Amino acid sequence: MNLHTELLEKRIAQLKVGIEIAELDKAKVDAARTLSKRVNIPGFRKGKAPYNVVSRYLGESAIFEEAIDQLGSRVYKEALEQSELEPYGPGQLEDVKVEDELLLTFHVPLTPRVELGNYREVRRDYEPVVISDEQVEEVVTMMRSNKAETAVKEGPAEKGDQVRMSLYAVPVVEEGETVAEENKELLERPLFDLKDWLFVLGETIREPVPGFSEAITGMAAGDTRTFTLTLPEGDDVVEVLRGRPVNFTVTCLEVSARTLPELNDDFVKNLGEEGVETVSALYERIREDLHNTLGQQNDAAYADAVLDTIVEETTIEYPDMMLEEFVDEAVENLERRLKQDKLTLEAYLDYFQKTEEDLRNEFRPSAEKRLKRSLTVGALVRAEGLEVDERTYQRAVSERSSALSYGSEELRAALAGYLFEYNEARVNLTAEVLSNQIMERVVAIAKGENPPTGPTPFVEDEVAASESVEQPADPDDSQAEVIEATAEPGDIQPEAAGPIDSQPEASESTVEE
Amino acid sequence: MAGIHLYDVIIRPVVTEKSNALIDEQRQYAFEVDMRANKIQIKEAVEVIFDVTVDKVATMNVPAKRGQRGRRIYQRKQAWKKAIVTLAPGQSIQLFNV
């Protein structure tokens, strides 16, 4: 066997293997035998037909193909071993030539190559969330307006009044405009057809179309108004409707004045918020809550941005096959979601008039992003020398199992047992912990804190320490043992690999299986 | 030759496991031949067509396969005549090229 290796672009290696003709002839004889076993040749029992009969009955090319099939897979294996390449997936036979010898050309996708840039130097300004007084005030006003009392009033509706109305709205189709078949549904049916609808004047968030409040201001019970408003141009509006005028017909049924409850300690007590009894305490609590939720969003966005920067600076090469696998995953996810709504992918594609190829093309950019991220994260974990030791894993298990058990002790124990016992679950959860840790590390780097490399030190925390977790493994070696990170985030299933966006999903599927 | 043309005597070679074995072991080649052909005609036909010397010819009538459906008897397979031709030592017919 005579081997010639060449690296093509995109992590594809080309293997050219030359094989002696004698070996090909031998393979052909073998091939004829297997073919005669498979094919029914009249006059012969299966597997008993001689070479020339098979060749006359099926043709020489069929035997040749079969021979190449058999020979190819054997040769491929041997050639791969000799070449010492790291294949990512099964190779493909690209070309077969017979000259003085049989020349087989294989294309082998190789494991991705990830070269981190100078990620330790990545810096990004961190802007902590500042909660403005207005934001707090807005929440308070909303709370008050939820508890507002209404009283029917005579006369025109003013800002702040609650109007009960029937609402009918149709989009305007210009005369002579041709409506594409798929848009007919959208344009010919009323946009709104509500018989009894409550709307508070001035609540811009709930307006069907901007300017709606002004348009109905001053209506009294029994009035009917027709007016035209234009839909906004934004992305959240379906394309055919963007910027399209809409004819409204509104009949006012009733106007009520709303009185907001007075903001005092009594109001606060009535809210039933634990530990909050005074107005100032309420303000503080709201500020705190806002700070927490917005802060988390802010941190996540920050980490996201930092990771994006690192990904940008990383040289990543991967075979197309890997990307297609991520696309497959996305399609499967969609299919699963559709299935929950008792839909099939075919019906979905039909509805949107797309082919599966269109869908895959749509998914490809985001799949590429996820792939790059997960490869980068995997490389970062290796570069930073992160590891998950048994204590960290235990804590992750106790957190995960209590988060998913909804307070049921039995379920919690079962989950914890599962996470300890099953290797696949362990690998997934480990990868998740690692990806969380790497995100923390990366954030610290970007903030300029210059954290040391190596495993993230285990921080005792009281909750985790007091909440012991049953563990079937031998407790003696739990301290020293380091979980073999057989799968780093880069290697695992794409769905668990997204470090930020897909964690809850990944964990649930871990348990369901 | 009375009745049948030389090239109409032999209808097709019989290629089966058994006939293959006969070729390998005893230089015997099997053919389907015209029902009316006799051994002499067959010998002549094989010698002329394949350019070989024939030692011996054995013939047999392969009976029709009949089936019955209700009272009606029908023919599933036509009757035919088989000839097994033994060649002189050292000779072979290339058409069968084993």
Side-chain angles (χ1 to χ4, degrees), chain A residues 42-46 48-50 52-53 56, chain B residues 13 15-20 95-98:
Chain A
F44 294 88
R45 287 172 291 163
K46 283 199 165 174
K48 298 288 184 186
N52 63 326
V53 173
R56 200 165 336 134
Chain B
V15 184
T16 63
E17 239 180 287
K18 186 172 182 180
S19 76
N20 253 36
L95 191 70
F96 289 80
N97 62 336
V98 182

Side-chain angles (χ1 to χ4, degrees), chain A residues 201-474:
Chain A
L201 285 196
E203 261 190 5
T204 41
I205 314 166
R206 289 187 57 217
E207 281 185 342
V209 176
F212 186 74
S213 282
E214 285 84 55
I216 61 166
T217 301
M219 287 179 83
D223 288 358
T224 298
R225 274 189 196 175
T226 53
F227 49 89
T228 305
L229 293 170
T230 306
L231 284 163
E233 296 275 358
D235 282 342
D236 46 347
V237 184
V238 187
E239 206 179 330
V240 273
L241 291 177
R242 255 172 235 166
R244 187 177 285 275
V246 177
N247 286 333
F248 282 88
T249 311
V250 173
T251 308
C252 179
L253 303 173
E254 186 183 77
V255 179
S256 314
R258 290 176 348 130
T259 355
L260 297 187
E262 209 173 312
L263 185 62
N264 53 27
D265 291 356
D266 283 336
F267 167 74
V268 175
K269 275 174 200 154
N270 277 334
L271 288 175
E273 193 85 14
E274 211 175 307
V276 181
E277 307 243 303
T278 61
V279 174
S280 62
L282 179 68
Y283 271 79
E284 212 164 286
R285 171 64 65 93
I286 290 171
R287 183 173 287 275
E288 209 176 286
D289 285 353
L290 279 176
H291 194 270
N292 282 345
T293 48
L294 294 181
Q296 262 170 22
Q297 281 170 20
N298 186 39
D299 286 352
Y302 178 76
D304 228 32
V306 172
L307 191 62
D308 277 345
T309 320
I310 295 178
V311 170
E312 259 167 49
E313 292 192 358
T314 308
T315 330
I316 304 176
E317 274 189 309
Y318 53 83
D320 282 342
M321 180 192 270
M322 209 165 175
L323 179 58
E324 291 313 308
E325 277 175 13
F326 268 64
V327 176
D328 286 345
E329 189 73 27
V331 174
E332 275 164 28
N333 271 341
L334 174 68
E335 205 169 358
R336 205 173 314 145
R337 280 203 306 276
L338 290 172
K339 213 171 173 184
Q340 280 171 4
D341 298 332
K342 307 243 187 298
L343 281 172
T344 61
L345 190 61
E346 285 75 35
Y348 175 86
L349 289 174
D350 228 39
Y351 184 77
F352 287 101
Q353 309 241 312
K354 282 191 248 183
T355 63
E356 185 158 354
E357 200 44 49
D358 294 341
L359 191 69
R360 292 180 71 85
N361 286 339
E362 262 170 49
F363 281 155
R364 201 155 286 129
S366 70
E368 186 174 2
K369 194 175 168 200
R370 269 185 299 135
L371 170 61
K372 282 188 168 172
R373 267 174 175 242
S374 93
L375 288 174
T376 309
V377 167
L380 281 170
V381 167
R382 255 163 289 162
E384 284 289 315
L386 289 188
E387 275 164 358
V388 176
D389 62 25
E390 195 59 37
R391 280 188 302 170
T392 316
Y393 187 70
Q394 270 183 40
R395 189 200 300 179
V397 168
S398 82
E399 275 169 13
R400 171 54 45 78
S401 51
S402 34
L404 290 180
S405 58
Y406 305 106
S408 152
E409 179 56 31
E410 243 171 85
L411 190 56
R412 196 192 65 74
L415 280 170
Y418 172 81
L419 288 170
F420 274 116
E421 296 242 0
Y422 286 94
N423 206 30
E424 198 182 322
R426 184 176 269 257
V427 167
N428 274 343
L429 186 56
T430 307
E432 227 180 290
V433 172
L434 282 175
S435 99
N436 285 344
Q437 284 184 353
I438 202 70
M439 288 320 284
E440 277 168 29
R441 182 70 58 89
V442 161
V443 165
I445 289 172
K447 284 181 184 169
E449 289 166 14
N450 199 21
T453 51
T456 302
F458 183 80
V459 186
E460 253 347 300
D461 75 13
E462 283 162 34
V463 189
S466 64
E467 212 180 283
S468 72
V469 180
E470 310 86 289
Q471 197 214 347
D474 187 359

Side-chain angles (χ1 to χ4, degrees), chain B:
Chain B
M1 187 169 313
I4 328 160
H5 189 272
L6 190 69
Y7 278 84
D8 285 334
V9 170
I10 292 170
I11 295 171
R12 63 173 180 99
V14 174
V15 184
T16 63
E17 239 180 287
K18 186 172 182 180
S19 76
N20 253 36
L22 285 176
I23 294 170
D24 287 347
E25 291 158 18
Q26 296 162 38
R27 300 186 312 284
Q28 289 179 329
Y29 291 81
F31 297 94
E32 179 179 348
V33 295
D34 193 294
M35 284 290 258
R36 295 161 297 171
N38 61 32
K39 289 184 182 181
I40 300 164
Q41 288 169 325
I42 294 166
K43 178 176 171 172
E44 206 176 326
V46 170
E47 285 187 337
V48 169
I49 294 170
F50 298 108
D51 190 19
V52 289
T53 321
V54 171
D55 216 4
K56 208 158 90 180
V57 177
T59 61
M60 62 207 75
N61 284 312
V62 182
K65 303 284 183 289
R66 291 175 195 281
Q68 195 171 350
R69 195 173 286 151
R71 255 195 238 159
R72 178 181 292 178
I73 294 173
Y74 64 99
Q75 205 168 42
R76 256 191 336 218
K77 243 180 211 170
Q78 190 71 262
W80 55 291
K81 189 169 192 172
K82 181 154 80 175
I84 293 180
V85 178
T86 311
L87 301 190
Q91 295 214 332
S92 68
I93 294 179
Q94 275 314 306
L95 191 70
F96 289 80
N97 62 336
V98 182

